[in-house]
Amino acid sequence: KDAMRIGVVLTALALVVGVSAGCARDRRSSAEVAGDALQATRDAVKDAVDDRGRRHELLALVDELEVLLQAQGADLAELSRGLRRLNADPDATRSAFESSIATYQERRRARRARALDIHFAMSERTRPDEWERIVDRELDALEAMGRLEER
């Protein structure tokens, strides 16, 4: 069971990194798809977990994933603006570009690490039958977050 869980987590992390394929059929933005997937995760938690205390903890973790999603969007927008600014500047140095990208990558790594922490925290707070009803929705959210990084 632990080997399977680690495999699922590693797959989810690969998706968060942006390895997943884009959603060609869905005309909504990746952020909208991710938001919907997070709402589906919330709904799955509400349906699967009867214990109020654990349900509250799990919903707080889903909210934290949403904060990560919002930070991801803001960081991507900041990176895009910064690179455009540098690209428009004929005197911009290679190190300025590298610094801008490195800052983004550092924030991305921190978000990815926190997403992994949240995944395990959610798993640890659920019974196997509850987790089975939640995990697919959570992975959908992580996959959609990975698509956002591809844009």
mmCIF file of all heavy atoms in Angstrom, residues 13 31-32 34-35 37 45 83 89 92 128 130 135 138 140 143:
data_model
loop_
_atom_site.group_PDB
_atom_site.id
_atom_site.type_symbol
_atom_site.label_atom_id
_atom_site.label_comp_id
_atom_site.label_asym_id
_atom_site.label_seq_id
_atom_site.Cartn_x
_atom_site.Cartn_y
_atom_site.Cartn_z
ATOM 1 N N LEU A 13 3.321 14.659 -8.255
ATOM 2 C CA LEU A 13 4.379 15.673 -8.298
ATOM 3 C C LEU A 13 4.840 15.931 -9.723
ATOM 4 O O LEU A 13 5.089 17.071 -10.099
ATOM 5 C CB LEU A 13 5.561 15.253 -7.436
ATOM 6 C CG LEU A 13 5.327 15.413 -5.940
ATOM 7 C CD1 LEU A 13 6.537 14.921 -5.166
ATOM 8 C CD2 LEU A 13 5.032 16.850 -5.593
ATOM 9 N N ALA A 31 -6.443 27.586 -14.843
ATOM 10 C CA ALA A 31 -6.777 28.040 -13.486
ATOM 11 C C ALA A 31 -8.233 27.717 -13.155
ATOM 12 O O ALA A 31 -8.539 27.307 -12.030
ATOM 13 C CB ALA A 31 -6.506 29.532 -13.341
ATOM 14 N N GLU A 32 -9.131 27.883 -14.130
ATOM 15 C CA GLU A 32 -10.535 27.548 -13.892
ATOM 16 C C GLU A 32 -10.707 26.046 -13.686
ATOM 17 O O GLU A 32 -11.455 25.620 -12.803
ATOM 18 C CB GLU A 32 -11.396 28.010 -15.066
ATOM 19 C CG GLU A 32 -11.535 29.510 -15.172
ATOM 20 C CD GLU A 32 -12.220 29.939 -16.456
ATOM 21 O OE1 GLU A 32 -11.936 29.363 -17.533
ATOM 22 O OE2 GLU A 32 -13.032 30.867 -16.365
ATOM 23 N N ALA A 34 -8.447 23.980 -12.582
ATOM 24 C CA ALA A 34 -7.874 23.661 -11.271
ATOM 25 C C ALA A 34 -8.826 24.074 -10.153
ATOM 26 O O ALA A 34 -9.009 23.329 -9.180
ATOM 27 C CB ALA A 34 -6.517 24.353 -11.103
ATOM 28 N N GLY A 35 -9.429 25.239 -10.278
ATOM 29 C CA GLY A 35 -10.389 25.687 -9.271
ATOM 30 C C GLY A 35 -11.568 24.732 -9.151
ATOM 31 O O GLY A 35 -12.012 24.407 -8.042
ATOM 32 N N ALA A 37 -11.509 21.564 -9.941
ATOM 33 C CA ALA A 37 -11.003 20.313 -9.360
ATOM 34 C C ALA A 37 -10.835 20.451 -7.852
ATOM 35 O O ALA A 37 -11.105 19.500 -7.103
ATOM 36 C CB ALA A 37 -9.680 19.923 -10.021
ATOM 37 N N VAL A 45 -14.400 15.457 0.076
ATOM 38 C CA VAL A 45 -14.093 15.435 1.510
ATOM 39 C C VAL A 45 -15.391 15.495 2.316
ATOM 40 O O VAL A 45 -15.593 14.734 3.258
ATOM 41 C CB VAL A 45 -13.144 16.589 1.899
ATOM 42 C CG1 VAL A 45 -13.082 16.772 3.408
ATOM 43 C CG2 VAL A 45 -11.750 16.353 1.327
ATOM 44 N N LEU A 83 10.172 38.853 -17.626
ATOM 45 C CA LEU A 83 10.886 38.434 -18.834
ATOM 46 C C LEU A 83 10.581 39.363 -20.006
ATOM 47 O O LEU A 83 11.474 39.670 -20.797
ATOM 48 C CB LEU A 83 10.540 36.989 -19.181
ATOM 49 C CG LEU A 83 11.072 35.932 -18.199
ATOM 50 C CD1 LEU A 83 10.607 34.543 -18.612
ATOM 51 C CD2 LEU A 83 12.582 35.994 -18.072
ATOM 52 N N ASP A 89 14.573 45.270 -23.004
ATOM 53 C CA ASP A 89 15.743 46.070 -22.634
ATOM 54 C C ASP A 89 16.973 45.533 -23.354
ATOM 55 O O ASP A 89 17.472 44.456 -23.035
ATOM 56 C CB ASP A 89 15.948 46.003 -21.117
ATOM 57 C CG ASP A 89 17.156 46.786 -20.642
ATOM 58 O OD1 ASP A 89 17.856 47.406 -21.476
ATOM 59 O OD2 ASP A 89 17.398 46.778 -19.416
ATOM 60 N N ALA A 92 19.811 44.355 -21.110
ATOM 61 C CA ALA A 92 19.576 43.306 -20.111
ATOM 62 C C ALA A 92 20.642 42.216 -20.247
ATOM 63 O O ALA A 92 20.999 41.815 -21.352
ATOM 64 C CB ALA A 92 18.187 42.716 -20.293
ATOM 65 N N PRO A 128 -8.671 4.478 4.985
ATOM 66 C CA PRO A 128 -8.494 4.015 3.597
ATOM 67 C C PRO A 128 -9.750 4.167 2.736
ATOM 68 O O PRO A 128 -9.657 4.578 1.578
ATOM 69 C CB PRO A 128 -8.092 2.549 3.750
ATOM 70 C CG PRO A 128 -7.429 2.492 5.091
ATOM 71 C CD PRO A 128 -8.180 3.485 5.948
ATOM 72 N N GLU A 130 -12.141 6.332 3.082
ATOM 73 C CA GLU A 130 -12.361 7.757 2.833
ATOM 74 C C GLU A 130 -11.383 8.264 1.776
ATOM 75 O O GLU A 130 -11.772 8.981 0.847
ATOM 76 C CB GLU A 130 -12.175 8.569 4.122
ATOM 77 C CG GLU A 130 -13.192 8.279 5.187
ATOM 78 C CD GLU A 130 -12.830 8.885 6.527
ATOM 79 O OE1 GLU A 130 -11.627 9.141 6.782
ATOM 80 O OE2 GLU A 130 -13.752 9.081 7.345
ATOM 81 N N VAL A 135 -8.952 10.765 -3.185
ATOM 82 C CA VAL A 135 -7.655 10.866 -3.848
ATOM 83 C C VAL A 135 -7.745 11.219 -5.332
ATOM 84 O O VAL A 135 -6.955 12.022 -5.830
ATOM 85 C CB VAL A 135 -6.801 9.593 -3.623
ATOM 86 C CG1 VAL A 135 -7.389 8.374 -4.311
ATOM 87 C CG2 VAL A 135 -5.363 9.841 -4.062
ATOM 88 N N GLU A 138 -8.301 14.895 -5.674
ATOM 89 C CA GLU A 138 -7.084 15.627 -5.311
ATOM 90 C C GLU A 138 -6.064 15.557 -6.446
ATOM 91 O O GLU A 138 -5.444 16.557 -6.801
ATOM 92 C CB GLU A 138 -6.492 15.070 -4.014
ATOM 93 C CG GLU A 138 -5.304 15.865 -3.539
ATOM 94 C CD GLU A 138 -4.141 15.023 -3.064
ATOM 95 O OE1 GLU A 138 -4.119 13.803 -3.343
ATOM 96 O OE2 GLU A 138 -3.240 15.597 -2.441
ATOM 97 N N ASP A 140 -6.722 15.120 -9.593
ATOM 98 C CA ASP A 140 -7.227 15.981 -10.669
ATOM 99 C C ASP A 140 -6.810 17.434 -10.433
ATOM 100 O O ASP A 140 -6.410 18.138 -11.371
ATOM 101 C CB ASP A 140 -8.754 15.912 -10.763
ATOM 102 C CG ASP A 140 -9.264 14.588 -11.305
ATOM 103 O OD1 ASP A 140 -8.462 13.816 -11.888
ATOM 104 O OD2 ASP A 140 -10.477 14.316 -11.145
ATOM 105 N N GLU A 143 -3.083 17.786 -11.077
ATOM 106 C CA GLU A 143 -2.832 17.736 -12.526
ATOM 107 C C GLU A 143 -3.190 19.069 -13.171
ATOM 108 O O GLU A 143 -2.443 19.591 -14.004
ATOM 109 C CB GLU A 143 -3.653 16.612 -13.152
ATOM 110 C CG GLU A 143 -3.463 16.489 -14.644
ATOM 111 C CD GLU A 143 -4.270 15.356 -15.241
ATOM 112 O OE1 GLU A 143 -4.468 14.335 -14.568
ATOM 113 O OE2 GLU A 143 -4.698 15.508 -16.396
#
